[in-house]
């Protein structure tokens, strides 16, 4: 009996000792589970894809690492498993307020095991409670949720969670009135810190695997909506100054001539900061109310690599963003703004275009902005503001830049052309009385003079239209386009009249038209027809703002096809003039039919001479413009077209004036007379 009692006591003592030894371990483990928030657990997957062979229609999913809920979905592409979506998240509503609310730890036993799964729409709806928690624990500055967000891993699921979080904060704020409904500087700073966390460069690749493809545009709209309620106190203030989001504000005065501020941010580790300068035109300032207004700018250096167009392919934009993305909160009465973006990629291999973000279509839109100038390092934009909040940037063109070579050729050619045309008019004035003997010669020189005047005036208007300030003012740009259109058409119609005059001189032998009647017909064709076409074009297209291009003072093509009003008459006249050249060539060949080989060579020379003289005068060089209208045309065709047309004034001087032996004889006679007068 004593032995049995001893055994029982020994057994009880052993069990008691073991329980006391294990109890602290169990308690410590439970304590660790409750006290260590899930957002501090590391996320490191050991298996990055499904195993085994795959077919084109198959997909598979993998579980997330411990302490993360959700899944990783893979799809078979070209015989390999490719990750398509990922919803692994460690964040939950309870985890956000664990530090601010000790009682939340009691509920973490369940919520930590089942954190929010963004694939589940019921769980996604539950995030709406977060705004109530903020209103309860940190309504003044939102500081209570900043650390959990900043400490979380930037997985696709956590990014989606934070996007939804910021969206609900912005939405909830719109329902509040009074002090809690305003955005203070502290609220804006902490809101920016949370947005900055998911805009980090290390997070960019994970945005592609978020199931909601509108997440990036949701983030942009949420930040814009939140900043709309921010109030600026000082003249110029920097509110948010994070690496991947920056916010500045400034007061605007109607009578102040210097209303501008800028935002500068790093875009990569090995380049200088990218700058965007915001300027308000003086004319727009005058339309503002007399009281003080404010402007707020928000710059994003990495959002361009993340932002996806809603109806575009699920890849990066075909035309990548080449500058900061800038959001502006402006007064309602402010209708226009001038922006200067530094280029991120300063390569000369592509140009850039100014664009605005269409929040409803979730697409980049070129219509709000006009590209005023595009240099190697920066792009100047003139943008219209039709909403209170607008987002702008510059897109890199997918086509190679040909502008630099062509612009150099064009402006050098225009300089030579203007000088040549002025010299042509001087020579015509000097020899006029000696060369206009018959009706045909008189009208021929009238044509040359009016061709020179039309081309000279058109070149001057072209140079005026290339000025950045003229392109920025739509009214001036419309006027420049109208006169350029009119005088270029006049050039072609005077060429047409000259061709008709050549036909008249060859075919009409017995009957002649009076000089006054020929002059009337010439001016009706040369100036009347172009005026009718130019007036109809501007009347039909300008009410819809489709008369001019967005990037130049010239006829629009993309929107209204107004360029047809120049291309069709010009090309039709070129075709008619080509027939005239052929008629002249055939006519010069007839007298020498049946001649020897040496005479045949003389015929070829005479035909070549006629074509060489008539081609630049009658505008056949513009036929190369047909090739430049085709997509993917080689640069050589553009250079030939630019050379022939930019130097057309020089060709008119050489072939239309200097190579005319009658003009040369008249100049020699005038020169000899001048020498005789000097000797006397």
């Amino acid at each position: 009996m004593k032995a049995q009692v001893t055994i029982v006591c020994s057994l009880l003592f052993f069990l008691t000792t073991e329980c006391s030894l294990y109890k602290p371990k169990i308690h410590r483990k439970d304590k660790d589970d409750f006290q260590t928030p899930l957002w501090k657990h590391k996320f490191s997957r050991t298996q990055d894809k499904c195993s085994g062979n795959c077919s084109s229609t198959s997909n598979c999913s993998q579980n997330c690492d411990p302490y993360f809920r959700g899944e990783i979905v893979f799809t078979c592409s070209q015989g390999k498993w490719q990750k398509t979506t990922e919803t692994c998240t460690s964040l939950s509503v309870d985890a956000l307020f664990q530090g601010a609310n000790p009682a939340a730890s009691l509920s973490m036993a369940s919520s930590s095991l089942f954190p929010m799964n963004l694939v589940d729409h019921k769980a996604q709806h539950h995030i709406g409670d977060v705004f109530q928690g903020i209103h309860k624990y940190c309504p003044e500055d939102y500081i209570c949720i900043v650390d959990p967000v900043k400490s979380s891993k930037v997985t696709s699921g956590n990014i989606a969670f934070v996007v939804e979080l910021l969206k609900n904060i912005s939405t909830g704020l719109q329902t509040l009135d009074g002090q809690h409904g305003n955005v203070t500087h502290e609220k804006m700073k902490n809101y920016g810190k949370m947005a900055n966390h998911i805009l980090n460069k290390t997070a960019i690749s994970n945005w592609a695997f978020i199931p909601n493809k509108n997440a990036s545009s949701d983030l942009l709209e949420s930040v814009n909506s939140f900043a709309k309620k921010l109030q600026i106190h000082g003249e110029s203030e920097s509110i948010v100054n994070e690496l991947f989001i920056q916010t500045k504000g400034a007061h605007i005065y109607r009578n102040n001539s210097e209303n501008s501020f800028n935002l500068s941010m790093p875009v990569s580790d090995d380049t200088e900061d990218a700058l965007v300068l915001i300027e308000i035109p003086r004319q727009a300032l005058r339309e503002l109310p007399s009281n003080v207004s404010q402007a707020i700018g928000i710059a994003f250096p990495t959002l361009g690599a993340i932002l996806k167009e809603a109806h575009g392919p699920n890849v990066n934009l075909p035309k990548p963003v080449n500058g900061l993305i800038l959001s502006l909160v402006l007064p309602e009465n402010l209708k226009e703004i001038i922006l200067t973006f530094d280029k991120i990629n300063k390569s000369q291999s592509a140009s850039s275009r100014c664009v605005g973000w269409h929040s409803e279509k979730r697409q980049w839109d070129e219509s709000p902005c006009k590209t005023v100038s595009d240099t190697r390092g920066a792009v100047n934009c003139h943008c219209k503001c039709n909403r209170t909040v607008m987002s702008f940037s510059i897109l890199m063109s997918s086509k190679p830049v040909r502008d630099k070579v062509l612009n150099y050729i064009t402006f050098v050619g225009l300089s030579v052309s203007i000088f040549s045309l002025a010299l042509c008019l001087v020579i015509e004035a000097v020899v006029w009385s000696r060369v206009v003997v018959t009706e045909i010669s008189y009208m021929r020189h009238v044509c040359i003079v009016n061709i020179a005047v039309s081309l000279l005036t058109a070149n001057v208007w072209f140079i005026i239209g290339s000025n950045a300030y003229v392109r920025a003012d739509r009214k001036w740009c419309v006027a420049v386009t109208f006169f350029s259109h009119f005088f270029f058409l006049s050039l072609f119609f005077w060429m047409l009249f000259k061709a008709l005059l050549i036909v008249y001189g060859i075919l009409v032998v017995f009957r002649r038209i009076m000089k006054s009647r020929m002059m009337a017909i010439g001016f009706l064709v040369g100036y009347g027809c172009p005026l009718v076409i130019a007036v109809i074009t501007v009347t039909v297209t300008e009410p819809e703002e489709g008369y001019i291009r967005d990037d130049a003072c010239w006829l629009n093509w993309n929107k209204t096809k107004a360029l047809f009003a120049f291309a069709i008459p010009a090309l039709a006249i070129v075709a008619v003039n080509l027939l005239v050249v052929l008629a002249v060539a055939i006519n010069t060949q007839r007298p020498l039919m049946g001649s020897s080989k040496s005479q045949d060579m003389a015929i070829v020379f005479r035909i070549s001479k006629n074509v060489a003289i008539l081609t630049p005068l009658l505008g056949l060089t513009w036929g190369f413009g047909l090739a430049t209208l085709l997509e993917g045309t080689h640069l050589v065709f553009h250079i030939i077209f630019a050379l022939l047309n930019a130097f057309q004034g020089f060709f008119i001087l050489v072939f239309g004036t200097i190579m005319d032996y009658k003009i040369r004889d008249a100049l020699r006679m005038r020169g000899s007379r001048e020498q005789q007068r000097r000797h006397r």
Side-chain angles (χ1 to χ4, degrees):
M1 186 66 183
K2 185 182 291 186
Q4 293 176 350
V5 171
T6 303
I7 293 172
V8 171
C9 290
S10 299
L11 182 61
L12 289 173
F13 177 79
F14 174 78
L15 291 174
T16 304
T17 305
E18 289 298 313
C19 289
S20 63
L21 289 174
Y22 280 103
K23 187 175 181 180
K25 295 180 181 180
I26 296 174
H27 177 72
R28 192 180 304 113
K29 182 179 180 181
D30 293 341
K31 183 177 180 180
D32 288 343
D33 278 344
F34 282 109
Q35 296 299 324
T36 304
L38 287 180
W39 42 267
K40 288 188 177 180
H41 287 298
K42 293 184 178 180
F43 183 82
S44 56
R45 287 202 50 78
T46 55
Q47 187 175 356
D48 291 332
K49 61 182 180 180
C50 299
S51 58
N53 297 326
C54 66
S55 60
S56 58
T57 58
S58 61
N59 57 54
C60 74
S61 60
Q62 294 287 326
N63 293 327
C64 302
D65 275 359
Y67 308 112
F68 285 81
R69 297 295 299 175
E71 63 178 1
I72 306 173
V73 178
F74 296 86
T75 302
C76 186
S77 176
Q78 297 180 351
K80 296 181 180 180
W81 292 109
Q82 301 290 337
K83 184 166 68 171
T84 53
T85 59
E86 179 185 317
T87 58
C88 298
T89 177
S90 61
L91 287 170
S92 67
V93 176
D94 290 330
L96 292 177
F97 299 104
Q98 183 180 2
N101 179 24
S105 299
L106 299 178
S107 65
M108 285 295 292
S110 59
S111 65
S112 62
L113 295 176
F114 301 98
M116 179 179 172
N117 186 350
L118 292 180
V119 177
D120 186 356
H121 295 287
K122 294 181 179 179
Q124 194 170 13
H125 177 72
H126 180 62
I127 199 174
D129 298 339
V130 78
F131 190 73
Q132 299 176 8
I134 291 174
H135 190 62
K136 181 177 181 181
Y137 295 111
C138 53
E140 301 296 333
D141 53 12
Y142 302 164
I143 191 63
C144 58
I145 61 171
V146 173
D147 284 342
V149 169
K150 289 178 63 177
S151 301
S152 63
K153 297 295 179 181
V154 283
T155 61
S156 301
N158 281 343
I159 293 172
F161 183 98
V162 176
V163 169
E164 195 68 22
L165 169 68
L166 297 177
K167 181 179 178 181
N168 278 273
I169 291 175
S170 296
T171 304
L173 193 70
Q174 310 306 317
T175 63
L176 297 180
D177 297 325
Q179 180 180 359
H180 294 306
N182 294 328
V183 174
T184 62
H185 286 200
E186 290 301 319
K187 287 181 181 178
M188 191 72 224
K189 286 180 181 178
N190 291 322
Y191 193 93
K193 288 179 181 178
M194 291 185 284
N196 180 77
H197 179 65
I198 57 175
L199 290 171
N200 195 300
K201 291 177 185 176
T202 58
I204 291 177
S205 59
N206 291 332
W207 279 84
F209 306 114
I210 299 176
N212 177 21
K213 298 306 176 184
N214 294 330
S216 55
S217 57
D218 286 344
L219 174 65
L220 178 61
E221 292 303 313
S222 299
V223 176
N224 292 348
S225 176
F226 191 81
K228 187 177 177 181
K229 304 195 75 173
L230 178 65
Q231 294 297 318
I232 304 299
H233 304 300
E235 295 296 319
S236 178
E237 298 176 342
S238 177
I239 298 100
V240 178
N241 193 19
E242 301 291 332
L243 278 176
F244 308 106
I245 180 173
Q246 187 179 117
T247 304
K248 278 188 178 181
H251 278 147
I252 303 174
Y253 301 93
R254 186 173 66 177
N255 298 325
N256 189 358
S257 60
E258 296 182 0
N259 275 290
S260 65
F261 62 101
N262 62 73
L263 294 97
S264 177
M265 303 191 69
V267 291
S268 62
D269 297 332
D270 55 351
T271 61
E272 297 179 355
D273 291 1
L275 174 74
V276 57
L277 176 65
I278 303 112
E279 299 176 272
I280 302 173
R282 292 183 181 181
Q283 183 178 356
L285 282 175
R286 297 190 189 101
E287 299 177 1
L288 293 178
S290 57
N291 57 323
V292 179
S293 304
Q294 68 175 25
I296 299 171
I298 311 165
F300 307 88
T302 56
L303 186 59
I306 298 168
L307 195 60
K308 300 262 190 293
E309 292 184 283
H311 304 294
N314 295 329
V315 294
N316 288 337
L317 292 172
K319 295 181 180 180
V321 175
N322 199 22
L324 300 176
I325 289 183
L326 174 71
S327 291
L328 290 174
V329 182
L330 301 170
E332 293 184 0
N333 295 329
L334 191 61
K335 301 302 181 184
E336 56 183 328
I337 199 84
I338 298 174
L339 306 172
T340 303
F341 289 91
D342 277 356
K343 290 183 178 180
I344 295 175
N345 184 348
K346 294 180 172 58
S347 172
Q348 296 181 354
S349 61
S351 60
S352 296
R353 298 183 62 84
C354 305
V355 290
W357 179 256
H358 197 297
S359 58
E360 296 177 358
K361 295 181 180 180
R362 299 178 187 265
Q363 289 180 333
W364 289 112
D365 186 5
E366 294 183 5
S367 60
C369 293
K370 179 188 294 184
T371 305
V372 178
S373 65
D374 182 4
T375 63
R376 181 177 180 180
V379 179
N380 184 260
C381 309
H382 190 272
C383 299
K384 296 179 181 178
C385 307
N386 50 17
R387 302 180 184 89
T388 306
V389 179
M390 289 284 286
S391 300
F392 305 95
S393 191
I394 52 174
L395 297 184
M396 185 185 298
S397 174
S398 59
K399 296 181 181 180
V401 172
R402 308 177 180 189
D403 293 346
K404 187 172 182 180
V405 176
L406 297 180
N407 285 343
Y408 181 79
I409 294 173
T410 300
F411 282 103
V412 171
L414 282 177
S415 302
V416 175
S417 183
I418 290 174
F419 176 79
S420 301
L421 292 169
L423 183 59
C424 176
L425 294 175
V426 170
I427 293 174
E428 288 289 339
V430 169
V431 301
W432 183 266
S433 60
R434 294 184 176 276
V435 294
V436 289
V437 179
T438 65
E439 289 87 352
I440 295 295
S441 62
Y442 179 84
M443 291 308 302
R444 176 181 177 274
H445 285 279
V446 167
C447 288
I448 292 176
V449 168
N450 282 279
I451 286 172
V453 169
S454 297
L455 183 56
L456 177 63
T457 312
N459 287 341
V460 171
W461 280 111
F462 180 85
I463 293 174
I464 294 173
S466 64
N467 185 277
Y469 293 101
V470 173
R471 294 208 306 257
D473 191 323
R474 182 175 181 83
K475 294 180 180 179
W476 273 103
C477 198
V478 168
V480 168
T481 302
F482 175 82
F483 286 112
S484 298
H485 184 203
F486 170 69
F487 282 107
F488 273 122
L489 281 179
S490 297
L491 166 69
F492 279 98
F493 276 93
W494 274 109
M495 289 178 175
L496 174 63
F497 183 73
K498 180 171 177 58
L500 297 176
L501 193 66
I502 293 172
V503 174
Y504 169 78
I506 293 174
L507 301 180
V508 179
V509 179
F510 300 104
R511 185 178 178 182
R512 296 293 179 183
I513 302 175
M514 294 177 59
K515 185 189 297 184
S516 59
R517 186 172 295 179
M518 291 179 67
M519 286 284 290
I521 296 173
F523 277 86
L524 183 63
V525 173
Y527 293 117
C529 295
L531 183 62
V532 172
I533 295 173
V535 170
I536 292 175
T537 305
V538 71
T539 303
V540 172
T541 59
E542 181 54 23
E544 300 178 0
E545 295 189 351
Y547 181 59
I548 60 175
R549 291 171 52 175
D550 294 332
D551 58 343
C553 294
W554 186 234
L555 298 171
N556 185 282
W557 171 255
N558 295 326
K559 188 175 181 180
T560 60
K561 309 299 181 186
L563 186 60
F564 274 136
F566 172 75
I568 292 176
L571 296 178
I573 291 172
V574 167
V576 172
N577 291 348
L578 178 60
L579 295 177
V580 172
V581 171
L582 293 176
V584 172
I586 294 172
N587 188 73
T588 56
Q589 188 177 8
R590 285 176 181 173
L592 296 174
M593 286 288 186
S595 58
S596 62
K597 291 185 178 180
S598 60
Q599 290 176 325
D600 291 339
M601 292 300 295
I603 294 172
V604 173
F605 176 75
R606 289 180 61 188
I607 295 174
S608 301
K609 182 179 178 181
N610 276 275
V611 173
I613 292 174
L614 292 173
T615 296
L617 291 179
L618 302 182
L620 297 182
T621 54
W622 288 76
F624 280 93
L626 283 172
T628 63
L629 295 177
L630 301 176
E631 190 73 22
T633 304
H634 197 275
L635 180 59
V636 172
F637 288 95
H638 290 266
I639 293 176
I640 293 173
F641 179 63
L643 279 171
L644 291 176
N645 288 280
F647 287 92
Q648 197 165 23
F650 175 74
F651 297 150
I652 290 174
L653 172 66
V654 173
F655 298 121
T657 303
I658 296 177
M659 291 188 66
D660 189 333
Y661 72 92
K662 289 185 178 181
I663 293 180
R664 293 200 304 269
D665 290 342
L667 289 174
R668 278 195 296 265
M669 290 180 63
R670 187 176 180 86
S672 62
R673 284 189 176 184
E674 290 294 333
Q675 289 180 357
Q676 290 175 4
R677 287 179 183 178
R678 290 177 183 176
H679 288 301
R680 290 178 184 176

